[in-house]
Amino acid sequence: MKASDIVRSLRGHDAGGLFFILDIDEEYVILADGRRRRVETPKRKKRKHVVFVTSSDARAAGKIRAGEKVTNNELRRALADFEDESAHPEDPGAGPG
């Protein structure tokens, strides 16, 4: 795991939720989703209480990697886009016929 990855919480009130990693150290990750956990008040959580979901190439992820300020709206939009893609994956091989 690294900063800008998308993870899923496994424990706590936010279990099941998707978050961006804003910062990471040996034991903890700093998480935000732009909704319940905003950039101004991120969640510090033990690494063992989250699971890696994917590396994101969204604009918000790029800003996190570059150390730039990211907004709550950008996090919400990137996570919503990811959830939408996960729910409706494009499969060029599928289709009628």
Side-chain angles (χ1 to χ4, degrees):
M1 285 189 283
K2 64 183 184 311
S4 79
D5 284 347
I6 295 176
V7 295
R8 184 173 304 278
S9 173
L10 298 174
R11 297 284 188 263
H13 295 289
D14 54 10
L18 292 173
F19 297 88
F20 270 100
I21 297 177
L22 299 182
D23 198 8
I24 190 167
D25 66 20
E26 292 180 17
E27 189 172 0
Y28 293 97
V29 290
I30 305 298
L31 306 174
D33 64 358
R35 187 174 310 141
R36 289 177 290 176
R37 284 297 178 175
R38 302 174 67 83
V39 173
E40 304 84 25
T41 56
K43 173 68 177 173
R44 181 176 174 242
K45 203 167 186 76
K46 289 192 174 187
R47 289 176 69 149
K48 66 182 180 181
H49 292 163
V50 298
V51 62
F52 172 80
V53 175
T54 188
S55 293
S56 176
D57 58 354
R59 182 174 179 209
K63 289 177 86 172
I64 293 169
R65 283 191 292 270
E68 297 175 13
K69 185 175 180 176
V70 63
T71 66
N72 292 307
N73 187 42
E74 290 170 327
L75 293 180
R76 285 192 304 268
R77 181 171 299 265
L79 289 173
D81 288 347
F82 172 74
E83 288 178 321
D84 189 45
E85 289 174 12
S86 297
H88 304 92
E90 290 185 33
D91 186 1

